[in-house]
Amino acid sequence: MTNEVLTPEEMAEVDRKAIARGPLPGIGLMGNAGSAVAQVALERYPQASRAHILCGPGNNGGDGYVVAKLLKEAGMSVSVWADHPPRAGSDAALAAADCPEPVQALAGFAPESGSIVIDALFGAGLSKQVEGNDAQAISRCAEAKVPIVAVDLPSGVSGKSGKVLGAAFQADVTVTFVRKKPGHLLLPGRSLCGEVIVADIGIPDDIVTEAGPRRFENGPALWMAEFPFLELDTHKYRRGHVGVFSGGPTATGAARLSAMAAARAGAGAVTVLSPVDALVANAAHLTSIMLRPAETLQEIGDFLRERRPDALVYGPGLGGGPETGALLIDMLTEARDYLQAIVLDASALTSLARQADAFFVVSTREGAPSIVLTPHEGEFGRLFPDLAADKALSKLERANAAAMRAGGVVILKGADTVIAAPDGRAVINSNGTPLLATAGSGDVLSGLVAALLAQHMPPFHAACAGVWLHAEAARRFGPGLIAEDLPLALAPVLRELLYSSGCSGDCVSRFLPKV
């Protein structure tokens, strides 16, 4: 697998193990890294009048010295700039000694029109604020609007969190090594990387596996083996039954969006659980989706016992008052034997923020149903205020801590959505689109995830698949998208996904007609 995301600490461990195991020493790996960057610079900017290579004192700077030597040998005019020499005896010092270009003080750096800049100041392990001559160099590049090729990560971006530490380059292309780092995928780092190229520098995949990475970039390769396929002898209830709770007569649309998404995503049966005074409003808009009155704990319990739904959606359109959270806690307590999985969104999360401790007691109790929470940053901050306020935590770390506390999967939404499991796994979604910034799109996501849960996809995989499919449907649809478009927009994405999954023969023909 190549979708692992390595933290800076894990990458350092991979480097150490690769050097210890051989056959390449550290300077050999550095040579390969510098060669990958130089190749990109020559391919992308063959007409550049000069390459300015900015070198820091660590291994990132060592890569820069290799780049300078190779570009010079290729016939490009080169200038090397640095404030501090590499540590004596280090691989970077060996690379600097092998570089024929004189090193100029960084304070005098001023890029000219027609040149390019190779940013080799700091790599993914940066943990301090960028200031002084380094920050001035970043500012001068921005003013000159010259192309930037970043080595590993644009200097100033934290590889751990994607946050900007003081100042950061806006790269046109970033060449990283072995695997991506969180800073390539989390905002604002992702927007500063430009195109990201992952270069092979000779470190085998098994060394990456030994590092035990727990973070991944989202995509079908991560969850396709768990994706539900239809069997010839299936029937609607074997495809899963989803129950969706509706709000009152003026707030029924959110539940119907969730219900339709659940149906489009493969649930064989979907029931909207409606307050009595909203039955007419819901009935006017529902055809294949069933409708049932259920507003008291007794009525809900009767439904759960009689119909045994495989997954529920609770929250969209329900209102954020304390009664919403109280009913959920009672349901999780008294009807837990009949609950298998539940997706919590919108008003449920807002309401639970007022009774979070009571919720965490029942959500983490032995025998509790599988729970998926889908907060955006505002809802997350209300439900987990201490985690949201801790600026030292990355989005990955916040989501993981929340998942552990809640005993369920957390989908922390945004342009860089993170999906986290209580066991420490986390996935960063990279196909997000601003087209999803429209009312109701989150309701669709909840129904989509519930449908996958109802088809017995493991909760973490269902959440990852749901987020990716949701974004992909929006991207394929394009401008003009509203939430009502999303359920139907899932159909071609599902079709292509299944045909391209490597699943051939009966497993595809059973699901889709040939076209």
Side-chain angles (χ1 to χ4, degrees), residues 349-488:
L349 303 173
T350 298
S351 179
L352 287 172
R354 308 177 187 187
Q355 43 208 313
D357 290 342
F359 168 64
F360 296 143
V361 167
V362 297
S363 68
T364 55
R365 186 177 295 164
E366 185 177 355
S370 300
I371 295 175
V372 178
L373 297 88
T374 65
H376 56 57
E377 288 286 0
E379 293 160 343
F380 185 91
R382 290 189 285 272
L383 190 55
F384 304 99
D386 56 325
L387 300 178
D390 191 341
K391 302 305 179 185
L393 297 177
S394 70
K395 188 171 184 176
L396 284 167
E397 292 168 326
R398 288 189 287 122
N400 270 135
M404 292 179 64
R405 186 178 300 178
V409 174
V410 169
I411 299 174
L412 182 47
K413 296 185 291 195
D416 54 350
T417 293
V418 168
I419 306 100
D423 62 8
R425 289 174 295 167
V427 164
I428 308 171
N429 197 62
S430 57
N431 72 333
T433 167
L435 293 168
L436 288 171
T438 184
S441 68
D443 305 322
V444 173
L445 175 63
S446 294
L448 173 51
V449 173
L452 297 175
L453 288 168
Q455 295 169 85
H456 308 295
M457 202 172 183
F460 184 62
H461 294 81
C464 293
V467 168
W468 187 90
L469 289 166
H470 185 241
E472 197 65 17
R475 289 166 63 93
R476 301 284 185 87
F477 188 95
L481 175 82
I482 59 174
E484 287 90 331
D485 299 319
L486 279 167
L488 187 55

Side-chain angles (χ1 to χ4, degrees), residues 7-48:
T7 66
E9 294 78 13
E10 289 168 341
M11 187 65 233
E13 179 64 18
V14 166
D15 279 335
R16 283 192 292 271
K17 286 187 175 181
I19 292 168
R21 188 172 302 179
L24 291 174
I27 189 63
L29 296 176
M30 188 171 286
N32 288 347
S35 177
V37 176
Q39 181 178 351
V40 169
L42 290 168
E43 290 175 352
R44 301 297 176 89
Y45 307 104
Q47 304 303 319

Side-chain angles (χ1 to χ4, degrees), residues 65-128:
Y65 290 113
V66 174
V67 174
K69 177 185 178 183
L70 294 175
L71 292 182
K72 181 72 172 181
E73 291 174 350
M76 187 176 284
S77 297
V78 169
S79 295
V80 179
W81 308 84
D83 260 356
H84 305 285
R87 178 176 53 83
S90 65
D91 292 326
L94 294 175
D98 195 42
C99 178
E101 282 299 304
V103 178
Q104 305 175 65
L106 189 59
F109 166 66
E112 69 279 10
S113 178
S115 64
I116 62 170
V117 172
I118 310 297
D119 162 30
L121 288 174
F122 306 107
L126 179 70
S127 58
K128 64 178 183 179

Side-chain angles (χ1 to χ4, degrees), residues 11 68 74 103 109 157-158 186-187 191 218 246 269 271 329 336 344 383 416 422 439 461 485:
M11 187 65 233
V103 178
F109 166 66
V157 174
S158 165
L186 295 173
L187 290 172
S191 65
N218 201 11
S246 170
T271 300
I329 291 170
R336 62 179 180 174
L344 303 179
L383 190 55
D416 54 350
H461 294 81
D485 299 319

Side-chain angles (χ1 to χ4, degrees), residues 130-213:
V130 174
E131 52 191 19
N133 289 335
D134 300 315
Q136 289 178 17
I138 292 171
S139 178
R140 288 170 186 156
C141 287
E143 292 170 1
K145 298 181 179 179
V146 292
I148 307 292
V149 178
V151 179
D152 195 22
L153 198 69
S155 292
V157 174
S158 165
K160 170 186 171 183
S161 69
K163 295 176 182 177
V164 172
L165 303 179
F169 283 102
Q170 172 64 69
D172 295 272
V173 58
T174 296
V175 183
T176 193
F177 314 112
V178 185
R179 297 291 189 275
K180 291 180 183 177
K181 319 306 181 296
H184 295 117
L185 298 169
L186 295 173
L187 290 172
R190 189 172 89 189
S191 65
L192 296 172
C193 287
E195 180 187 356
V196 178
I197 297 172
V198 181
D200 178 2
I201 59 172
I203 294 180
D205 289 343
D206 64 320
I207 293 182
V208 175
T209 302
E210 288 173 15

